Amino acid sequence: MFSWLGNDDRRKDPEVFQTVSEGLKKLYKTKLLPLEEHYKFHEFHSPALEDADFDNKPMVLLVGQYSTGKTTFIRYLLEQEFPGMRIGPEPTTDSFIAVMHGDVEGIVPGNALVVDPKKPFRKLNAFGNAFLNRFVCAQLPNPVLESISIIDTPGILSGEKQRISRGYDFAAVLEWFAERVDRIILLFDAHKLDISDEFSEVIKALKNHEDKIRVVLNKADQIETQQLMRVYGALMWSLGKIVNTPEVIRVYIGSFWSHPLHIPDNRKLFEAEEQDLFKDIQSLPRNAALRKLNDLIKRARLAKVHAYIISSLKKEMPAVFGKENKKKELIGSLGEIYSKIEKEHQISPGDFPNLKKMQELLQSHDLNKFQPLKSKLLDMVDDMLAHDIAQLMVLVRQEETQRPNQVVKGGAFEGTMNGPFGHGYGEGAGEGIDEIEWVVARDKPMYDEIFYTLSPVNGKVTGANAKKEMVKSKLPNTVLGKIWKLADIDKDGMLDDEEFALANHLIKVKLEGHELPSDIPSHLIPPSKRKIAE
C-alpha cells in the first residue's frame, strides 16, 4: 500500500493547482491521509475526509436547549417552512435535520443519506442506526440554500435520563459536525439561561472550534431593558465558566421570528444586532475556501501529534512479557508522555488531544500493534504545511477577488437590504434621502450666523478660518479632514455658505454617533452645486 514511501526522489517544489478545492483534495489524499492511516488516526479522532467534504457548500450548525427557537430561526432566515419542520414550546425537534437545497421539496432519510457520495455525511454511518433513524435531510428550492446549508439539532435537555435515552453519543455527533461546518450558532432563550449538564458537555465538545462559534440571545423582546441587561450579564458569566478562551464570545441580541415585538423599546438595538449577524452569515460563501484550508491545517497538526504519541507508546512496549502491566502504566502516565513530546518536538500544549479521552480510547487498543515513528510520513506533512499550503493561500485570495459578490441572498437577507426598511435608512448621513428640500437647509440660518463671523472673502471662508470653528466640535483632525473633503464640493480649498452648512451638518451626523459616508450622497449636495458634482 505504501510502496511509494521508498521513493527518495520526491519533488520538493510546491504542487500547482487549478482550484483550492482540487488542491485540498490532492494534498489530503497524497500527504496527510497516509500519515493518518499508518497511525490509526481515524479510530481515535475523526473519520477520513472525502471529496464531498471539500466540495460541499458552507454549513451552519444550530445548537441550543429545547424551545430556544432553533427551528423558528431557520424558518425566519428562509421565509419558508421546510419539510419535517415542527415548532412548539415542548421539545419538538427530535432529529438532526440537514436543511439543504433541492429542486423538489422532500425528505431523505438518514440511511439513504449516508450512502450518497455527493453529500458530506457518509462517515456518520459510524454512529449506527440509533442515530441514523434520527437524521434526515430536508430538501427544498430556496435562494438562501443555494449558498449555504443549515443543520437543525434536537433540543438539549437536562438530566442523565435524557442523555442515556438518545441511544447514541450526542456530543460526539455534534463534534463531528463542528469539524465540518463553517459556523456554529448557540441559541439561548432570554427567559431560561440555565446551562444543563448536557449543554455544558456539548459546549466543551466544541473545543478547538471557538473561532466558528457565535451566540444568539433569542426572544429578547419579551423582557424589559433593565432585565435584558441582567440576562446578558448572566449569560456572559455562564459562558465564561465553560468556554475557556481569553476573548469574549460575540453575543447577538434579538428576536428572530416574524411576529410583532412584545416590548419594542430596544427595536434599534435588535435591528443593528440582526444586521451584524446577517453580515456574518452572508460572508460564509466568500470565506468557505479559507475555512476548509484552516481546518486541514488544524487536522494536520493533530495528526502529527497523534503520530508522535502512538510511536512513543509503541517504543515503550515490551516485546514479550508484561505487556498488560506496561500498557496500564503507559496509559496512566500519558500526561508525562505528552510533556516529553512537547519538549522534544517543540509542540504547543494546545495541539494535544484531550488527555482523559485519549486514555479511555487507548484501553481498547493493543499497543503492540502500533507503528514506530516513520520520519518520511511526517516529512511529507511538514512539506505540505511549509510549501503547498502557502501556494494554496495565494489561490484562495485569487478566487476571492474573482468572486467578490459571493454572498448569501434571498429570504430574510433580502428584506432589509434596500428600501426604507434597510438598516439605518433615513438616519445619519441618510437623513432627508426621500425629501424634495435639501435637508441641510433646515439648520442653515444657524450655520449662516457663524459663517459671517468668520470674515468671508467674496462669499467664501478660507481653510484656516473654517478650521477655527470646526475644531470646536472636539472631533479628531482625521475626521474633520474627511468632513472638509466631503463638504468642499468644487474642490477650490475654500467653503461658501452652503458648503460650510454642509460641513456643520456632517459634524452633527458624526457627533450623533453615525458613520460618515465615503462619498457625499447626492441628496446632501447643495442644490446649486449638483451640476458640478455630476
Side-chain angles (χ1 to χ4, degrees), residues 327-341:
K327 177 181 173 180
K328 284 180 188 173
E329 184 193 320
L330 287 171
I331 292 173
S333 62
L334 190 61
E336 293 168 27
I337 293 169
Y338 275 19
S339 300
K340 188 180 170 187
I341 293 168

Side-chain angles (χ1 to χ4, degrees), residues 409-429:
K409 294 177 181 174
F413 298 102
E414 294 291 315
T416 59
M417 283 185 78
N418 298 305
F421 295 99
H423 178 61
Y425 187 91
E427 297 173 9

Side-chain angles (χ1 to χ4, degrees), residues 84-347:
M85 177 181 129
R86 286 171 63 215
I87 294 173
E90 75 283 8
T92 46
T93 304
D94 64 345
S95 303
F96 280 80
I97 304 176
V99 187
M100 306 181 86
H101 187 269
D103 295 331
V104 180
E105 232 180 79
I107 287 180
V108 182
N111 282 292
L113 204 54
V114 294
V115 293
D116 185 349
K118 291 180 181 176
K119 297 276 193 298
F121 306 122
R122 278 161 57 103
K123 296 296 179 179
L124 283 169
N125 196 39
F127 292 103
N129 270 334
F131 167 70
L132 295 179
N133 291 336
R134 289 275 180 269
F135 179 44
V136 296
C137 175
Q139 293 186 319
L140 67 155
N142 185 284
V144 173
L145 299 175
E146 288 175 11
S147 308
I148 59 170
S149 301
I150 306 170
I151 313 293
D152 193 10
T153 61
I156 296 167
L157 303 166
S158 56
E160 189 69 25
K161 184 184 170 189
Q162 284 85 359
R163 181 153 62 240
I164 294 167
S165 67
R166 288 193 194 275
Y168 60 90
D169 192 338
F170 183 68
V173 173
L174 281 178
E175 194 174 349
W176 185 93
F177 275 109
E179 286 179 10
R180 288 157 178 80
V181 300
D182 296 69
R183 189 66 74 239
I184 302 163
I185 296 179
L186 300 180
L187 278 103
F188 289 87
D189 184 336
H191 277 106
K192 46 175 191 278
L193 273 188
D194 59 308
I195 298 179
S196 68
D197 295 343
E198 191 179 22
F199 198 10
S200 178
E201 189 183 308
V202 162
I203 295 172
K204 284 172 183 171
L206 303 178
K207 188 179 180 288
N208 299 327
H209 303 290
E210 288 90 350
D211 56 318
K212 298 179 182 180
I213 296 175
R214 302 290 182 271
V215 175
V216 169
L217 182 58
N218 201 12
K219 306 184 184 180
D221 65 316
Q222 296 177 19
I223 54 178
E224 301 282 352
T225 305
Q226 189 179 11
Q227 284 179 296
L228 182 58
M229 286 172 65
R230 288 175 181 160
V231 166
Y232 178 79
L235 175 61
M236 297 304 286
W237 181 80
S238 300
L239 286 172
K241 292 201 318 185
I242 300 169
V243 183
N244 296 318
T245 56
E247 301 84 13
V248 176
I249 283 185
R250 177 68 164 97
V251 177
Y252 298 90
I253 304 170
S255 183
F256 296 91
W257 66 344
S258 51
H259 294 263
L261 297 174
H262 284 279
I263 300 170
D265 299 5
N266 297 308
R267 185 187 186 105
K268 278 197 172 182
L269 170 67
F270 299 158
E271 285 175 0
E273 293 282 285
E274 181 184 278
Q275 212 59 31
D276 286 351
L277 180 60
F278 280 8
K279 280 179 188 171
D280 187 67
I281 295 171
Q282 283 184 298
S283 71
L284 294 179
R286 194 169 61 246
N287 300 326
L290 193 57
R291 193 276 302 168
K292 286 170 187 167
L293 183 63
N294 187 48
D295 283 355
L296 187 72
I297 295 167
K298 273 201 267 189
R299 190 181 178 98
R301 290 167 73 94
L302 180 59
K304 274 182 66 184
V305 172
H306 178 76
Y308 286 129
I309 295 167
I310 296 300
S311 57
S312 293
L313 293 169
K314 167 69 176 175
K315 190 178 175 183
E316 297 293 328
M317 282 297 287
V320 185
F321 301 111
K323 291 180 184 178
E324 275 306 308
N325 288 337
K326 189 64 178 174
K327 177 181 173 180
K328 284 180 188 173
E329 184 193 320
L330 287 171
I331 292 173
S333 62
L334 190 61
E336 293 168 27
I337 293 169
Y338 275 19
S339 300
K340 188 180 170 187
I341 293 168
E342 185 188 324
K343 288 172 188 170
E344 195 177 327
H345 300 284
Q346 285 83 50
I347 296 168

Side-chain angles (χ1 to χ4, degrees), residues 51-118:
D51 285 357
D53 290 308
F54 298 106
D55 293 333
N56 69 309
K57 293 170 189 169
M59 292 194 288
V60 177
L61 177 69
L62 298 182
V63 183
Q65 297 184 168
Y66 75 93
S67 193
T68 51
K70 296 185 296 297
T71 307
T72 307
F73 182 82
I74 298 173
R75 201 222 167 283
Y76 182 70
L77 289 185
L78 302 182
E79 292 187 345
Q80 179 183 349
E81 295 193 355
F82 56 87
M85 177 181 129
R86 286 171 63 215
I87 294 173
E90 75 283 8
T92 46
T93 304
D94 64 345
S95 303
F96 280 80
I97 304 176
V99 187
M100 306 181 86
H101 187 269
D103 295 331
V104 180
E105 232 180 79
I107 287 180
V108 182
N111 282 292
L113 204 54
V114 294
V115 293
D116 185 349
K118 291 180 181 176

